[in-house]
């Protein structure tokens, strides 16, 4: 395998050395009009924008094309004359560049950068208030500008995702992508050592520019995560000189946070420095009811009390970009952070069984703590060759997670306050991740492009688990070797991909294929066992897009993805999570494979737009967490992970963006899907008897979210958000539906340099989280209710020129400029 990696690297070096080509000048028999289309607010390329060229004399249509992934376009074989170019894309104002001459002396018209502005701009003297489109649809992703989500301004990425198409968030902050929690999170397109949930929970919304939702990624992306990819794009600035933004947030339940981002650009250099601190917590009440049946005896355990969760973190990030020359660029980024998490509860318990109905009363004090430091760094180099878009980009990313000390303490006390039992479970161990990737892009004529790339991931981690039980006689905690283990995980994944994109008229397509080799080894040191997997996997992708004209778009795609089992799913030993629950991993788990089909249609009516997306997904080797009473102790539940079969999801998602004048805007997002699971598993009991369990289920699920914004003036706006999630069935239970509401008021001061946002979340206290699991011989119910409503005030201050500037005139929603040679 090492020889294969060396051969791949040598191949890219040869490509880099030989790929230089002479610049092709425009043919004398025809002129060329070219340029790059960029989003003015986000400074990112606009892919698949429609570019049309017209004759200045009679406005007749001469030719047209669409932009590539870099936002670039080129129109060749233009006859002598004067032209104007019109550029359109759904969600943007139309841009027109006039008076473009083509003659013998000027056969190349380079428009350079043409900026598209988000629709619905309001002009007040020289200040522009740009109400950015809530969702921007591209051929393979949805882009969500975070600035529109003012009800989430002081929160984290999770709070932003509450109002995003294709994403659902429960009351505890658990995120799922179209009903699936197995997805990949990237930051600026780069992976992290942190789990997806940790990244989303710790990333402040104030440092995020956009969030990209990629439900059907192309072969260029890592296929890990059956549901797709959530890519967080952090704020950057291309203005020269020193600029930045600082945020401070204070709220109820002792919530507070702050961050600052400074950027300095001069000539070929661009530096940035960011600091962030957050202390987020929430309180609530919890109630559980558990019943188990063992050897004809029904045991019941009831509890209720107070619970509290806390997340404390801080971090620093810095980096630079350097343009060596017009064809070579390097960049470096570094981030260090610390996360301290706690989850605790004080509960009153009642315990009884069918043989003795007298209730035993006692109290429980539970505390889960985890402290972790992490480092992420990356270095990239880009080499550009002759010809627009012809380049080789390479990147090395290193992530390290500290020991990650985790401790769970569960203690029971009788009515007199005497401790009757206790368990302390600890787990620690560092983890590292290397990623090496190289991407080569070769344009093939005006409308075609070929890509070839390599991506290698090397992960290593260690988990050292220990348990101590309380001895009521000695009143001391004593080690339990039976539940103390040491496991190491090593995994390498090497992937090669290729894509080809082209278009026929107004029909664009991209074909991709990726192959990956996985080498995974789990070393269970206690038992001297090693579990090894060596396997090749293959992932085809297809993306298509049709421009139907008049602001109509039709997109269709197919992708295949994979979800490899997580580390703790594979641990082949029993671990206590509290006094009544244990888990045991399954090292024989096979990965999940998913086939995903999507069809989307988008239409814009002036300031209004509507989008419909239909999707169908099939998951093979579905991994489920199976619960059942642990026979060694009748009132304790045991959970493990198994491959049960296949599941199927067929649904439709609709987004309707309405604008009632410049003062009121409303975004409505709905999702409806039918879920079916067909599977089974076999459980071996203590008597070595195999017990067959059916794991099939089906249900209809839906969600509805509405986001209303009232704009009083360019400096003041109010936003109200309502979110409903329907009841969802599982093979062994269900999650009940819930409804939540939020509101926010935002006001700008000091010529928009200072802004204040006041938020209220869960206004009516309706965000309850209720789950139910049941089987032939058990019943588990739990409910958690937040202490609501919660309040927060966020202040944001812009330093120097960290703000948008108006550069062009606007006439009736059209950005116009004159071309200058």
């Amino acid at each position: 395998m090492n020889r294969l990696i060396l051969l791949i690297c040598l191949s890219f070096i040869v490509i880099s050395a030989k790929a230089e080509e002479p610049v092709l000048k425009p043919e004398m028999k025809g002129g060329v009009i070219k340029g790059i289309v960029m989003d003015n607010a986000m400074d990112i390329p606009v892919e698949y924008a429609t570019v049309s060229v017209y004759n200045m004399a009679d406005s007749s249509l001469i030719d047209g094309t669409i932009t590539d992934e870099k936002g670039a376009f080129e129109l060749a074989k233009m006859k002598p004359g004067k032209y104007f170019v019109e550029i359109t894309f759904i969600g943007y104002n139309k841009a027109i560049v006039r008076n473009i001459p083509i003659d013998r002396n000027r056969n190349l018209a380079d428009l350079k950068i043409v900026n598209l502005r988000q629709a619905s701009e309001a002009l007040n003297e020289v200040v522009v208030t740009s109400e950015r489109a809530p969702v921007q649809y591209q051929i393979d992703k949805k882009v969500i500008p975070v600035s529109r989500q003012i009800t989430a301004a002081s929160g984290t990425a999770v709070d932003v995702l509450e109002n995003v198409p294709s994403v659902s968030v429960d009351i505890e902050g658990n995120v799922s992508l179209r009903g699936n929690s197995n997805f990949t999170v990237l930051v600026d397109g780069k992976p992290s050592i942190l789990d997806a949930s940790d990244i989303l929970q710790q990333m402040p919304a104030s440092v995020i520019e956009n969030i990209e939702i990629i439900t059907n990624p192309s072969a260029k992306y890592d296929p890990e995560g059956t549901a797709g990819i959530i890519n967080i794009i952090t704020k950057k600035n291309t203005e020269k000189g020193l600029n930045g933004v600082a945020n401070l947030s204070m709220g109820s339940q002792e919530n507070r946070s702050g961050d600052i981002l400074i950027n300095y650009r001069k000539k070929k250099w661009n530096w940035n420095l960011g600091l962030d601190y957050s202390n987020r917590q929430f309180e609530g009440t919890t109630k559980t009811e558990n019943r188990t049946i063992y050897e004809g005896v029904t045991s019941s355990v009831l509890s209720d009390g107070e619970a509290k969760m806390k997340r404390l973190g801080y971090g620093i990030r810095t980096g630079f970009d350097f343009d060596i020359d017009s064809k070579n660029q390097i960049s470096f980024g570094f981030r260090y952070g610390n996360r301290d998490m706690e989850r605790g509860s004080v509960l009153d318990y009642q315990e009884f069984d069918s043989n003795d109905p007298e209730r035993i009363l006692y109290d429980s004090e539970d505390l889960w703590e985890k402290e972790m430091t992490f480092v992420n760094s990356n270095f990239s180099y880009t080499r550009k060759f002759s010809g627009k878009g012809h380049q080789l980009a390479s990147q090395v990313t290193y992530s390290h997670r500290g020991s990650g000390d985790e401790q769970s303490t569960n203690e029971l006390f009788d009515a007199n306050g005497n401790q009757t039992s206790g368990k302390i479970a600890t787990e620690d161990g560092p983890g590292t991740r290397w990623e090496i990737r190289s991407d080569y892009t070769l344009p093939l004529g005006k409308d075609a492009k070929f890509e070839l790339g390599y991506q290698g991931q090397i992960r290593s981690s260690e988990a050292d688990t220990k348990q101590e039980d309380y001895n009521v006689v000695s009143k001391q905690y004593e080690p339990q070797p039976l539940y103390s283990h040491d496991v190491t995980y090593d995994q390498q994944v090497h992937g090669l991909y290729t894509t080809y994109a082209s278009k026929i008229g107004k029909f664009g397509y991209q074909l991709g294929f990726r192959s990956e080799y996985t080498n995974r080894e789990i070393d269970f040191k206690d038992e001297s066992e090693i579990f090894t997997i060596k396997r090749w996997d293959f992932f085809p992708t297809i993306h298509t897009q049709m421009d139907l004209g008049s602001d109509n778009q039709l997109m269709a795609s197919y992708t295949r993805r994979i979800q490899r089992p997580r580390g703790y799913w594979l641990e082949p030993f029993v671990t206590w999570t509290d006094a009544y629950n244990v888990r045991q991993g399954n090292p024989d788990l096979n990965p999940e494979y998913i086939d995903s089909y999507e069809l989307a249609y988008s239409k814009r009516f002036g300031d209004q737009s509507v989008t419909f997306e239909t999707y169908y997904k099939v998951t093979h080797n579905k991994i489920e967490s199976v619960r059942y009473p642990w026979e060694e102790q009748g009132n304790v539940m045991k959970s493990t992970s198994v491959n049960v079969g296949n599941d199927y999801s067929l649904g439709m998602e609709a987004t309707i963006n309405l604008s009632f004048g410049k003062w009121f805007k409303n975004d409505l997002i709905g999702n409806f899907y039918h879920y079916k699971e067909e599977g089974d598993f076999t459980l071996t009991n203590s008597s070595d008897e195999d017990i067959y369990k059916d794991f099939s289920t089906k249900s209809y699920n839906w969600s509805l979210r509405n986001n209303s914004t009232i704009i009083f003036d360019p400096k003041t706006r109010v936003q109200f958000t309502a979110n409903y999630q329907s009841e969802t069935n599982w093979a062994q239970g269900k999650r009940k539906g819930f409804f939540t509401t939020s509101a926010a008021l935002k006001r700008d001061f000091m010529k928009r340099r200072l802004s204040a946002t006041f938020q209220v979340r869960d206004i009516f206290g309706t965000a309850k989280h209720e789950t139910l699991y049941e089987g032939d011989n058990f019943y588990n119910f739990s409910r958690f209710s937040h202490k609501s409503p919660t309040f927060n005030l966020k202040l944001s201050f812009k330093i120097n020129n960290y703000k948008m500037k108006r550069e062009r005139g606007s006439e009736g929603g059209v950005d116009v400029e004159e071309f200058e040679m």
Side-chain angles (χ1 to χ4, degrees):
M1 180 52 63
N2 292 330
R3 293 181 178 177
L4 174 62
I5 298 173
L6 179 62
L7 179 61
I8 293 169
C9 295
L10 289 174
S11 299
F12 280 114
I13 293 173
V14 172
I15 292 174
S16 177
K18 296 185 176 182
E20 184 85 24
E21 297 175 355
V23 178
L24 296 178
K25 297 182 178 180
E27 298 180 9
M28 295 302 296
K29 63 180 180 181
V32 173
I33 299 175
K34 67 177 185 177
I36 299 176
V37 180
M38 302 286 289
D39 182 301
N40 182 73
M42 295 181 289
D43 194 34
I44 60 174
V46 180
E47 186 181 6
Y48 290 98
T50 300
V51 182
S52 304
V53 59
Y54 297 86
N55 191 310
M56 281 290 293
D58 57 8
S59 298
S60 60
L61 177 65
I62 303 300
D63 198 1
T65 186
I66 59 175
T67 56
D68 61 18
E69 67 175 6
K70 302 294 184 181
F73 67 89
E74 186 174 297
L75 297 155
K77 299 182 180 180
M78 302 296 300
K79 296 180 179 180
K82 272 198 172 184
Y83 303 93
F84 70 91
V85 167
E86 181 179 283
I87 301 174
T88 60
F89 192 72
I90 294 174
Y92 294 86
N93 287 332
K94 182 187 301 181
I96 298 177
V97 183
R98 301 185 182 279
N99 297 317
I100 305 172
I102 295 291
D103 53 42
R104 292 183 178 179
N105 297 323
R106 293 175 290 188
N107 59 356
L108 172 61
D110 188 353
L111 308 186
K112 299 188 183 300
I113 302 297
V114 180
N115 286 306
L116 284 185
R117 296 182 180 272
Q118 302 293 333
S120 305
E121 292 189 343
L123 184 62
N124 181 19
E125 297 178 349
V126 295
V127 178
V128 175
T129 302
S130 179
E131 187 63 28
R132 294 162 63 177
V135 182
Q136 298 150 32
Y137 291 86
Q138 299 184 14
I139 189 171
D140 61 349
K141 60 189 173 185
K142 293 186 279 284
V143 182
I144 295 90
V146 174
S147 61
R148 278 186 61 103
Q149 309 294 345
I150 66 174
T151 57
S154 63
T156 65
V158 170
D159 301 311
V160 177
L161 291 172
E162 288 182 353
N163 302 305
V164 169
S166 307
V167 178
S168 59
V169 181
D170 68 22
I171 195 59
E172 293 183 336
N174 300 308
V175 177
S176 60
L177 192 54
R178 284 184 175 160
N180 194 326
S181 60
N182 296 328
F183 55 87
T184 298
V185 173
L186 304 176
V187 179
D188 293 324
K190 303 175 182 67
S192 171
I193 193 69
L194 300 180
D195 291 335
S197 59
D198 289 335
I199 299 174
L200 298 176
Q201 288 282 3
Q202 61 90 22
M203 180 68 70
S206 53
V207 305
I208 303 173
E209 183 73 22
N210 303 304
I211 293 182
E212 297 178 348
I213 306 298
I214 312 172
T215 51
N216 261 13
S218 71
K220 186 174 182 177
Y221 291 94
D222 179 5
E224 183 79 21
T226 55
I229 297 171
I230 296 178
N231 187 21
I232 300 174
I233 307 298
T234 57
K235 287 182 177 178
K236 304 173 184 67
N237 194 19
T238 59
E239 300 287 352
K240 294 182 180 180
L242 179 68
N243 47 76
V245 60
N247 302 285
L248 178 65
S249 177
M250 300 160 288
S252 57
Q253 300 183 25
E254 301 183 18
N255 280 278
R256 54 190 179 274
S257 64
D259 61 84
I260 184 170
L261 175 64
I262 299 294
N263 195 90
Y264 180 72
R265 177 179 292 273
K266 185 176 182 180
K267 296 182 179 180
K268 296 182 178 182
W269 287 90
N270 182 52
W271 289 275
N272 63 78
L273 174 66
L275 302 170
D276 63 81
Y277 165 84
S278 64
N279 184 354
R280 307 182 188 280
Q281 52 189 315
F282 60 84
E283 303 171 6
T285 60
T286 181
K287 181 179 181 179
T288 65
E289 180 180 349
N290 300 310
R291 293 196 301 267
T292 58
I293 303 174
Y294 181 63
E295 295 183 348
V297 178
T298 301
S299 301
S300 300
V301 179
L302 312 178
S303 73
D304 65 85
E306 303 289 328
K308 185 176 182 179
M309 179 177 288
K310 177 181 178 181
R311 286 178 176 265
L312 175 65
Y314 59 85
I316 178 173
R317 61 188 175 111
T318 186
F320 69 85
D321 303 312
F322 176 63
D323 297 324
I324 301 174
D325 51 40
S326 61
K327 294 184 178 181
N328 296 273
Q329 182 190 62
I330 61 174
S331 65
F332 172 77
F334 174 85
R335 179 175 176 83
Y336 169 84
N338 178 273
R339 295 293 174 261
D340 187 358
M341 295 165 280
E342 293 183 6
R343 184 172 60 245
S345 63
V346 178
L347 306 177
D348 296 326
Y349 272 86
Q350 303 178 47
E351 185 174 345
F352 56 95
D353 60 50
S354 56
N355 287 341
D356 185 4
E358 182 178 354
R359 304 199 174 198
I360 302 174
L361 306 179
Y362 55 92
D363 298 326
S364 169
E365 294 183 6
D366 300 301
L367 179 62
W368 173 84
E369 301 173 284
K370 184 175 183 179
E371 184 176 3
M372 175 181 60
T373 60
F374 65 90
V375 171
N376 280 92
S377 61
N378 62 83
F379 176 83
S380 62
Y381 167 71
T382 302
R383 166 66 174 171
K384 296 181 180 179
F385 306 108
S386 298
K388 184 174 294 295
H390 188 190
Q391 67 176 33
L392 173 66
S394 300
Q395 177 181 288
V396 178
T397 301
Y398 170 75
S399 300
H400 176 76
R401 183 189 67 230
S403 60
D405 296 335
E406 181 177 346
Q407 179 172 299
S408 178
T409 304
N410 175 258
E411 296 177 329
L412 303 182
F413 301 87
D414 62 22
N416 297 320
N418 299 315
Q419 184 171 351
T420 58
S421 68
K423 294 182 184 298
I424 298 178
T426 61
E427 180 175 345
D428 61 75
T432 60
R433 169 174 175 158
W434 285 91
E435 178 174 306
I436 305 170
R437 66 175 304 148
S438 194
D439 305 292
Y440 174 69
T441 304
L442 174 65
L444 300 173
K446 182 176 68 173
D447 300 320
K449 179 180 64 176
F450 171 77
E451 291 180 303
L452 174 68
Y454 161 78
Q455 181 179 12
Q457 298 179 22
I458 302 173
R459 304 183 188 183
S460 178
S461 63
E462 183 175 350
D464 185 8
T465 62
K466 293 182 174 62
Q467 181 174 310
E468 297 178 348
D469 286 0
Y470 183 75
N471 187 319
V472 294
V473 177
S474 64
K475 296 185 179 181
Q476 299 291 327
Y477 281 92
E478 299 176 350
Q480 302 295 310
L482 181 62
Y483 302 114
S484 300
H485 310 280
D486 191 2
V487 183
T488 59
Y489 306 87
D490 293 290
Q491 178 174 285
Q492 294 187 29
V493 179
H494 302 280
L496 290 170
Y497 79 88
T498 181
T499 67
Y500 176 77
S502 185
K503 75 181 188 71
I504 303 172
K506 293 186 177 182
F507 176 75
Y509 65 91
Q510 182 190 78
L511 307 178
F513 185 79
R514 186 184 186 102
S515 61
E516 288 193 343
Y517 175 77
T518 302
N519 184 351
R520 189 194 75 193
E521 183 177 284
I522 303 173
D523 187 356
F524 184 25
K525 296 182 179 180
D526 305 72
E527 304 294 336
S528 299
E529 289 185 90
I530 297 179
F531 302 91
T532 303
I533 288 181
K534 296 183 178 182
R535 179 182 57 245
W536 280 95
D537 294 305
F538 305 96
F539 307 96
T541 65
I542 303 173
H543 290 79
T544 62
Q545 183 263 351
M546 174 70 77
D547 183 5
L548 302 178
S550 301
D551 289 331
N552 286 267
Q553 277 190 320
L554 187 66
M555 292 167 283
S557 62
Y558 161 77
T559 64
R560 182 172 173 83
R561 297 186 61 76
I562 188 173
Q563 176 63 53
R564 298 178 178 90
R566 300 177 182 177
Y568 65 89
W569 292 354
L570 305 170
E571 296 174 346
F573 49 80
V574 172
T575 301
W576 286 84
T577 56
D578 58 42
Y580 299 101
N581 292 276
V582 299
R583 74 165 187 260
Q584 182 174 8
N586 178 5
D588 295 322
L589 279 178
N590 291 316
E592 293 181 339
Y593 296 93
I594 189 166
D595 294 306
S596 176
Y597 307 82
E598 290 189 5
L599 177 65
Y601 170 76
S602 184
K603 169 66 177 176
R604 189 167 188 89
F605 308 87
D607 289 340
Q608 334 287 331
S609 67
V610 60
T611 301
F612 295 99
E613 297 178 76
T614 60
Y615 56 91
Y616 177 64
K617 292 189 176 183
V618 182
T619 303
H620 310 272
N621 299 333
K622 176 66 176 178
I623 298 175
E624 285 281 10
S625 178
V626 178
R627 299 165 63 95
Y628 53 90
W630 193 23
E631 294 184 351
E632 295 187 17
Q633 299 189 42
N635 60 352
V636 174
M637 294 297 298
K638 184 178 181 180
S639 63
T640 188
S641 298
V642 294
N643 296 110
V644 298
N646 299 335
D647 73 1
Y648 310 85
S649 296
L650 174 63
M652 173 176 284
E653 191 170 68
T655 303
I656 302 174
N657 308 123
L658 302 177
S659 178
F660 302 93
K662 296 181 179 180
W663 66 275
F664 182 71
K665 302 181 185 299
N666 195 84
D667 308 323
L668 181 64
I669 303 171
N671 183 29
F672 175 84
Y673 68 96
H674 177 259
Y675 177 79
K676 180 176 68 172
E677 186 170 5
E678 295 178 345
D680 57 68
F681 72 98
T682 302
L683 172 66
T684 302
N685 62 18
S686 58
S687 302
D688 292 329
E689 297 175 346
D690 290 339
I691 303 175
Y692 172 83
K693 299 287 185 180
D694 183 25
F695 219 77
S696 300
T697 187
K698 58 182 179 180
S699 64
Y700 291 95
N701 309 278
W702 62 281
S703 64
L704 191 64
R705 279 170 283 180
N706 192 79
N707 192 354
S708 301
T709 304
I710 301 174
I711 304 172
F712 292 101
D713 57 55
K715 297 181 180 180
T716 310
R717 64 191 59 200
V718 172
Q719 189 173 90
F720 181 81
T721 301
N723 182 3
Y724 177 77
Q725 297 284 335
S726 74
E727 182 174 281
T728 300
N729 290 339
W730 305 317
Q732 286 189 302
K734 61 184 176 182
R735 185 211 67 209
K736 293 191 176 182
F738 66 91
F739 175 72
T740 183
T741 53
S742 301
L745 168 65
K746 182 178 181 181
R747 173 72 179 177
D748 295 326
F749 305 92
M750 300 171 58
K751 297 182 179 180
R752 304 177 66 83
R753 292 171 64 87
L754 175 67
S755 65
T757 305
F758 179 72
Q759 302 165 248
V760 185
R761 298 178 64 82
D762 193 18
I763 299 173
F764 304 108
T766 55
K768 294 180 174 60
H769 183 64
E770 297 180 317
T771 59
L772 172 66
Y773 293 89
E774 57 184 338
D776 295 336
N777 49 6
F778 72 92
Y779 172 90
N780 305 141
F781 170 80
S782 66
R783 179 176 65 197
F784 178 81
S785 302
H786 274 292
K787 183 179 179 181
S788 300
T790 60
F791 305 90
N792 195 280
L793 175 64
K794 176 198 169 186
L795 301 176
S796 180
F797 182 74
K798 299 179 179 65
I799 303 169
N800 285 349
N801 57 351
Y802 200 87
K803 54 186 177 181
M804 283 186 7
K805 295 183 177 179
R806 186 169 179 82
E807 298 175 349
R808 301 193 178 155
S810 181
E811 300 177 2
V814 179
D815 289 334
V816 183
E817 71 170 316
E818 297 292 322
F819 176 73
E820 297 180 1
M821 293 294 293

